[in-house]
Amino acid sequence: MSEVLQLAEMYQEQAREVLRETRLLEIWESVGATANLVGSLKNGLLIKRRDIDLHVYTDPFRLSDSFLAMARLAENKGIRSIQYANLLDAEDRCLEWHVSYVSERGDTWKMDIIHILKGSYYDGYFENVAERILAVLTPETREAILTIKNDLPVEEQVMGIEIYQAVIEGGVRDERAFRQWRELHPPQGIVNWVP
């Protein structure tokens, strides 16, 4: 196994530890939510950036359920901050929660928890994107994605979906080629690409 694949496995196991430590999925399920991992952890493409993306749904949708779940999460001593945005009247039709968590290992993790209104445009959308990415990933494209993610500076703001599109659709295989591809395809808000 290559070094980048070993590194990715290590980060993904640490992310699973964070899920166990915080009981994140169980907390949301305790308020009647369906909680779905999306993004890099779901796809096995998590490396270097310690972040976990979760989309949750409740039916009926109640603001109080969202706050109750986050209050339960806040009881964990590792939670350092929670930010909230109400986008129910925006295109997103969701509540956004952004959490900073220091794990028992001492690493800082970011958790983006999006509570999406059932029946809205993004209801299930990113779950579908994740499934499509998983369906088309090959060992070669997975390693290329992980290598690019690992080579990019952590502080540089790049969405994983940009890298996935560049590798899967654009044939990009390294950081230099990704930067060239990105100049021709600058991100503009939410990236709605699906393989």
Side-chain angles (χ1 to χ4, degrees), residues 55 87 90-94 96 114 121-122 125-126 129 159 161-162 165 186-193:
H55 286 189
L87 302 175
E91 175 189 14
D92 305 45
R93 306 286 310 261
C94 68
E96 287 188 1
I114 313 301
Y121 179 79
Y122 288 111
Y125 180 86
F126 290 101
V129 171
M159 292 178 281
I161 193 77
E162 294 176 81
Q165 183 179 9
Q188 311 213 349
I190 297 172
V191 176
N192 288 319
W193 172 79

Side-chain angles (χ1 to χ4, degrees), residues 74-195:
E75 291 176 0
N76 185 301
K77 64 181 169 63
I79 300 297
R80 295 296 183 249
S81 68
I82 298 175
Q83 295 178 323
Y84 162 78
N86 183 328
L87 302 175
L88 290 172
D89 60 352
E91 175 189 14
D92 305 45
R93 306 286 310 261
C94 68
L95 303 177
E96 287 188 1
W97 297 97
H98 302 286
V99 179
S100 176
Y101 172 72
V102 177
S103 73
E104 292 175 8
R105 304 169 63 87
D107 300 318
T108 300
W109 285 79
K110 183 179 86 157
M111 293 183 271
D112 293 325
I113 305 160
I114 313 301
H115 188 175
I116 300 172
L117 191 65
K118 285 283 234 183
S120 66
Y121 179 79
Y122 288 111
D123 177 0
Y125 180 86
F126 290 101
E127 289 85 344
N128 178 55
V129 171
E131 291 300 324
R132 290 294 311 135
I133 290 168
L134 278 172
V136 300
L137 268 182
T138 66
E140 178 195 4
T141 56
R142 180 172 187 258
E143 190 158 358
I145 289 167
L146 290 169
T147 299
I148 293 167
K149 284 180 140 190
N150 193 51
D151 289 347
L152 289 169
V154 173
E155 61 278 358
E156 189 171 345
Q157 295 300 313
V158 175
M159 292 178 281
I161 193 77
E162 294 176 81
I163 300 169
Y164 309 158
Q165 183 179 9
V167 169
I168 294 167
E169 185 179 86
V172 169
R173 294 295 183 263
D174 60 39
E175 179 191 0
R176 185 186 57 75
F178 171 69
R179 290 185 183 286
Q180 292 171 343
W181 182 91
R182 194 173 193 226
E183 282 182 24
L184 299 172
H185 306 87
Q188 311 213 349
I190 297 172
V191 176
N192 288 319
W193 172 79
V194 181

Side-chain angles (χ1 to χ4, degrees), residues 11-12 14-20 22 24-25 36-42 46 49-55 97-99 101 109-114:
Y11 278 102
Q12 290 175 63
Q14 289 176 9
R16 289 186 284 275
E17 286 174 14
V18 166
L19 290 175
R20 288 189 293 271
T22 60
L24 181 63
L25 299 173
N36 301 322
L37 284 172
V38 296
S40 59
L41 180 57
K42 168 73 176 178
L46 177 68
R49 291 179 193 225
R50 292 180 169 96
D51 66 345
I52 296 171
D53 298 307
L54 186 70
H55 286 189
W97 297 97
H98 302 286
V99 179
Y101 172 72
W109 285 79
K110 183 179 86 157
M111 293 183 271
D112 293 325
I113 305 160
I114 313 301

